[in-house]
Amino acid sequence: MAIGRMYIDGQWVESHTGKMREIINPFNQEVIATVTEGDEKDSKLAIQAARTAFDKGDWATTPASERGKIVQAIANLIRRDKEELAKLESLDTGKTIIESYADMDDIANVFQYFAGLADKNGGEVIQSPIPDSESRVVREPVGVCGQISPWNYPLLQASWKLAPALVAGNTLIAKPSEITPLTTIKVFELMEEAGVPKGVVNLVLGPGHTVGAELSNSLDVDLISFTGGIETGKKIMQAASSNVKKIALELGGKNPNIIFADADFDTAVDQALNAVFFHAGQVCSAGSRLLVEESIHDRFVDAVVKQAKKIKLGNGFDEDTQSGPLISAEHREKIEGYVEIAKQEGAKLVLGGKRPEAPELQDGFFYEPTIFTDCTSDMRIVQEEVFGPILTIEKFSTTEEVITKANDTIYGLAGAVWSKDIEKAEMVASRLRMGTVWINDFHPYFAQAPWGGFKQSGFGRELGHIGLEEYTEVKHIFRNKKPQPVGWFV
Ligand code: NAD
């Protein structure tokens, strides 16, 4: 089995410690790869390489159209190797292969989208109020970027950071989650093949508290972009104050899915399942809080429970599998803890609440789709991100009440509203304090539209034009065309 290595200054290297980590398939706990395990010293080397490449190399001054061509080449290579990448992602995360194929399409589209924007990110000429002068606003790269990503969408989340940073002329150090590094390693091979110059992209592998923390602490890193949990996000924000880095934080969510009585019933039921149980609920924007109007509540709950009972858990590589395992034993234990809390809080368990009994699922970290009714806003199960296949259902009777309930968490990542009354749906959408609101749908996201959170779901945006701007500094250049003495101090 080949060893996964770090990529520092154009070389594939192992950690100076010689430490290794086994990467586990969460479906059966088999070892699928061995990768080198770095520490702070490896991170420092990678930061140094990125610093030198930015300060002394010519990536930042390479014409943007040329950078765009290289980023487009990366998109093409991802499409070429889609099958291999999708298999690696499913082995590493347990997600279904169909989902991984879709992820790879999305990832190639992200590189392609930003490649297309490369030479369209020009500045502007300002109408200067001062005679005989010229005033321009230009966009320049930020510098050295640290990019830390999570395990749930390993390559997708990394791609949202890699593509815009490269296109804007930055150099970078990427740190994937230590438990799901395989597709990111592979894409670094593709970036090398595409011709990204030495030192521009660097990859470090290892735990967050060493390898990752070095990126957020370092005085030589100019920007840190982080996707992950809220507690880690807070630590990164503190560490980033060391040199007042630019920061973007994409944190968790506790996303409401609001169903009015006049919604298309069957579609709303179907999508409510997809909203929460897709990828075993390990989605930052999962619709884990279902808010149903009183008059249809009981019928809606019955329909959701009936459908959820049929969800087929299994090996992500089997055609009929609809959901794979959770990522790890520890993560399953965390979810089990939340289920116990919910029961103690008085939520009514109407489905699941346990590990499946099927013999073929015993080696994986499976958990049954779980539904609680009679939930209220003051419960921890309604307030805190569980990040698993757990749905809470609340009842509402007025539009004002549901808006208040939907907004009543510390998070503000995403939410959805279902109604045939478009005026009402639009009004609710405008009142939800969230970075993304879907009307009569759940989950769509694409490279062209921005993604990010309000409130404690973070700040900064990825994707869309604004996702590129995050990786630029704005500079005003003023030129006096007829310089003359001011005469103030004569
Ligand atoms: P996590 O916070 O545990 O880890 C994320 C990354 O941070 C990993 O690479 C980890 O090694 C690193 N890390 C950990 N401690 C660190 C430290 N002290 N300094 C620097 N880096 C450190 O999150 P996770 O469990 O991997 O991912 C799940 C979380 O990610 C969920 O909360 C989910 O909502 C969130 N998420 C958010 C979005 C979004 O777009 N908002 C997308 C995907 C996932």
Side-chain angles (χ1 to χ4, degrees):
M1 192 185 303
I3 292 171
R5 295 187 167 83
M6 296 187 279
Y7 187 68
I8 298 178
D9 205 17
Q11 304 290 322
W12 290 96
V13 294
E14 285 178 29
S15 168
H16 74 100
T17 62
K19 264 179 87 176
M20 293 289 168
R21 173 185 287 264
E22 291 182 333
I23 304 299
I24 306 292
N25 179 348
F27 169 68
N28 54 17
Q29 302 186 49
E30 275 174 14
V31 176
I32 47 172
T34 305
V35 301
T36 192
E37 175 102 324
D39 69 4
E40 294 92 337
K41 195 169 161 193
D42 298 297
S43 265
K44 281 194 169 86
L45 290 173
I47 293 167
Q48 210 42 58
R51 189 75 261 167
T52 305
F54 187 77
D55 293 340
K56 306 211 165 91
D58 50 15
W59 184 248
T61 51
T62 299
S65 55
E66 292 304 311
R67 292 197 299 258
K69 277 184 200 158
I70 292 183
V71 173
Q72 178 61 50
I74 301 168
N76 298 344
L77 292 171
I78 289 168
R79 291 200 174 105
R80 182 195 72 188
D81 292 351
K82 171 176 159 176
E83 199 161 324
E84 183 186 347
L85 282 163
K87 280 183 184 154
L88 275 179
E89 201 77 305
S90 280
L91 281 171
D92 211 348
T93 60
K95 66 169 69 179
T96 65
I97 188 75
I98 307 287
E99 202 189 326
S100 289
Y101 279 129
D103 284 357
M104 296 312 140
D105 288 338
D106 286 345
I107 291 160
N109 289 342
V110 167
F111 279 94
Q112 176 164 323
Y113 170 75
F114 283 110
L117 278 189
D119 57 1
K120 295 167 196 70
N121 197 30
E124 59 176 325
V125 175
I126 304 279
Q127 291 301 321
S128 168
I130 300 169
D132 297 318
S133 72
E134 187 190 88
S135 185
R136 283 175 292 136
V137 177
V138 296
R139 287 196 170 266
E140 296 182 356
V142 177
V144 174
C145 304
Q147 306 187 324
I148 303 176
S149 35
W151 49 257
N152 64 331
Y153 282 86
L155 188 55
L156 188 78
Q157 296 300 332
S159 74
W160 293 9
K161 304 181 191 301
L162 292 169
L166 273 178
V167 155
N170 299 278
T171 62
L172 62 92
I173 308 102
K175 193 208 99 57
S177 166
E178 56 275 33
I179 50 178
T180 57
L182 301 183
T183 46
T184 308
I185 297 174
K186 170 74 186 162
V187 158
F188 267 74
E189 290 172 15
L190 300 183
M191 291 199 285
E192 186 182 26
E193 186 180 343
V196 179
K198 173 170 115 65
V200 170
V201 291
N202 301 275
L203 170 68
V204 288
L205 303 173
H209 65 92
T210 55
V211 175
E214 183 59 37
L215 296 180
S216 37
N217 278 317
S218 171
L219 304 182
D220 281 323
V221 173
D222 303 305
L223 175 153
I224 195 100
S225 175
F226 168 76
T227 304
I230 188 165
E231 292 311 321
T232 317
K234 287 181 186 173
K235 284 186 198 155
I236 287 177
M237 202 167 166
Q238 274 180 345
S241 70
S242 62
N243 63 336
V244 196
K245 286 179 189 63
K246 286 186 77 170
I247 334 179
L249 297 179
E250 300 287 344
L251 309 177
K254 193 72 190 179
N255 313 289
N257 188 15
I258 301 170
I259 318 290
F260 281 100
D262 59 1
D264 176 337
F265 189 90
D266 293 340
T267 307
V269 167
D270 174 83
Q271 293 234 16
L273 290 162
N274 204 43
V276 64
F277 295 126
F278 191 70
H279 191 18
Q282 302 168 114
V283 181
C284 53
S285 51
S288 53
R289 294 178 60 206
L290 189 60
L291 295 142
V292 186
E293 192 163 359
E294 201 166 21
S295 59
I296 59 161
H297 174 272
D298 294 355
R299 194 160 67 93
F300 201 88
V301 170
D302 287 348
V304 167
V305 170
K306 193 172 157 210
Q307 286 300 320
K309 267 185 193 156
K310 296 186 204 155
I311 292 175
K312 173 88 175 74
L313 304 179
N315 184 349
F317 287 88
D318 291 345
E319 247 177 41
D320 58 346
T321 294
Q322 293 172 314
S323 182
L326 297 165
I327 190 70
S328 66
E330 301 75 53
H331 191 53
R332 181 167 63 178
E333 277 161 27
K334 181 188 140 192
I335 286 163
E336 288 173 331
Y338 269 112
V339 169
E340 287 316 308
I341 290 168
K343 288 186 202 161
Q344 285 159 19
E345 286 175 321
K348 187 173 159 202
L349 180 68
V350 292
L351 186 72
K354 59 182 174 53
R355 300 178 184 189
E357 278 148 25
E360 68 276 16
L361 301 181
Q362 296 312 307
D363 291 336
F365 307 123
F366 285 93
Y367 199 76
E368 286 188 0
T370 296
I371 300 179
F372 285 102
T373 60
D374 298 19
C375 296
T376 50
S377 293
D378 54 349
M379 294 177 176
R380 281 184 65 191
I381 195 74
V382 175
Q383 290 294 329
E384 296 176 23
E385 185 186 51
V386 179
F387 221 55
I390 314 293
L391 179 66
T392 64
I393 306 182
E394 296 162 74
K395 214 183 264 185
F396 70 89
S397 49
T398 69
T399 305
E400 275 309 309
E401 181 193 352
V402 77
I403 293 169
T404 304
K405 282 186 165 168
N407 283 329
D408 185 17
T409 79
I410 60 167
Y411 293 107
L413 188 60
V417 50
W418 291 82
S419 170
K420 285 189 189 137
D421 179 346
I422 296 307
E423 217 171 292
K424 179 170 66 180
E426 289 283 357
M427 188 277 281
V428 173
S430 74
R431 300 263 312 271
L432 294 180
R433 302 279 300 147
M434 286 143 212
T436 297
V437 179
W438 296 291
I439 296 176
N440 293 331
D441 211 322
F442 207 103
H443 278 325
Y445 69 90
F446 31 83
Q448 291 79 358
W451 181 264
F454 282 26
K455 304 198 292 188
Q456 294 188 40
S457 289
F459 53 83
R461 290 291 178 271
E462 296 194 297
L463 302 180
H465 201 276
I466 196 169
L468 181 56
E469 287 169 7
E470 292 279 342
Y471 285 95
T472 64
E473 287 280 17
V474 174
K475 181 183 280 179
H476 174 212
I477 301 176
F478 174 86
R479 181 160 67 90
N480 188 339
K481 293 184 190 167
K482 288 189 185 162
Q484 285 180 0
V486 180
W488 185 278
F489 291 114
V490 288

